[in-house]
Amino acid sequence: MKIYTKTGDNGTTALFGGSRVSKKNIRIDSYGTIDELNAWIGLIRDQEIDLYAKNLLTLIQDKLFTVGAILATDPAKAILKSGKERLNIPKITAADIELLENEMDYMNESLPPMTHFILPGGHTTVSYCHIARTVCRRAERLATALYEQEPFDESVMAYINRLSDFLFVLARKLSKDLKAEEIKWIPEKKG
C-alpha cells in the first residue's frame, strides 16, 4: 500500500464513508488534534515511567484511535444500507470513562492536596504530560464545536473531558515519582 495517494493535493480529504471535505473542516481539525494528542501520549509512554503507567497509556492510545475513527466518520454515511454501523469497532463506553476516574482516584490517594494552581514543569516527563493535557483540552474544544454542528456519541465527549483531567493528575503523580518540585502559582498582590 502506498502512503501517498495524491487525492489530497487540492486541500480535501476523505472521511470514513468516502465523503470529501476541506482539510480545514472542523471534523478534520477535531480528529487531527486527537491524533496529535495520541502522539504526545506516546512520547510520555516512551519516558522512564513505571510499567503500569506505560500499559495504561497504551490502552488510552487505543481508545484515542476509536475516538478518532468516530470523529472521522461522516454522520450521513455512518449506517450502511444493510443497517449495520460503518464502524465495526468497540465504542467508547461508560467503563472506559470509569477506568480514567478510578485511576485518578487511585493516584490522588498518594498525592498532597492541591491548594493552588501548579505551574507546568519540573521535569521533562512532567512537562510532556502537561503538553498532552493542553492538547487534550484543545481537542475537547474542537470536538465540542463539531458536536454542536453534527452530534455524535456523547461518551466520546465525556471521555475526552475525563482524559484531560486524568493527564493533569498523572502529571502530578509523575512529579512525585520523579521527585520533581511542584511550583505553586501564587499571584503577586497588587500594590
Side-chain angles (χ1 to χ4, degrees):
M1 178 177 122
K2 286 188 176 186
I3 295 297
Y4 60 92
T5 62
K6 302 181 185 181
T7 58
D9 291 353
N10 66 350
T12 65
T13 193
L15 300 175
F16 285 144
S19 302
R20 294 200 70 80
V21 296
S22 168
K23 289 184 178 185
K24 67 177 180 160
N25 183 291
I26 187 71
R27 182 172 297 284
I28 307 308
D29 215 5
S30 294
Y31 74 75
T33 305
I34 292 295
D35 187 34
E36 180 185 351
L37 171 60
N38 207 333
W40 280 106
I41 289 175
L43 185 61
I44 299 165
R45 190 173 45 84
D46 289 343
Q47 304 305 302
E48 295 297 322
I49 62 175
D50 65 88
L51 185 59
Y52 184 82
K54 285 180 184 265
N55 290 336
L56 186 56
L57 291 172
T58 300
L59 175 66
I60 289 168
Q61 286 185 288
D62 178 79
K63 296 301 175 186
L64 286 176
F65 264 92
T66 299
V67 169
I70 291 167
L71 295 177
T73 301
D74 182 347
K77 297 189 177 182
I79 305 297
L80 300 170
K81 290 178 183 175
S82 66
K84 292 184 179 180
E85 292 184 11
R86 179 170 298 282
L87 285 179
N88 188 21
I89 59 173
K91 303 294 187 274
I92 298 299
T93 66
D96 297 324
I97 297 162
E98 288 171 15
L99 175 69
L100 294 177
E101 293 170 348
N102 292 337
E103 292 297 331
M104 282 187 279
D105 292 344
Y106 177 74
M107 288 187 288
N108 263 327
E109 288 176 6
S110 67
L111 297 173
M114 276 192 52
T115 57
H116 294 80
F117 285 109
I118 298 167
L119 298 178
H123 189 282
T124 303
T125 303
V126 174
S127 295
Y128 290 151
C129 201
H130 279 292
I131 291 170
R133 173 186 57 80
T134 63
V135 172
C136 190
R137 287 288 188 210
R138 178 165 30 99
E140 182 180 18
R141 291 189 301 271
L142 291 165
T144 299
L146 175 61
Y147 184 84
E148 289 173 358
Q149 291 177 14
E150 297 177 311
F152 48 85
D153 183 357
E154 290 180 7
S155 295
V156 170
M157 294 294 296
Y159 188 81
I160 298 169
N161 178 267
R162 214 67 84 252
L163 181 56
S164 61
D165 295 335
F166 168 85
L167 290 167
F168 177 77
V169 177
L170 179 61
R172 293 198 68 217
K173 180 190 177 294
L174 292 174
S175 287
K176 181 183 176 206
D177 292 352
L178 297 165
K179 297 174 179 33
E181 181 184 3
E182 280 190 338
I183 300 173
K184 297 175 182 176
W185 178 62
I186 302 171
E188 292 181 26
K189 303 282 186 212
K190 283 188 169 183

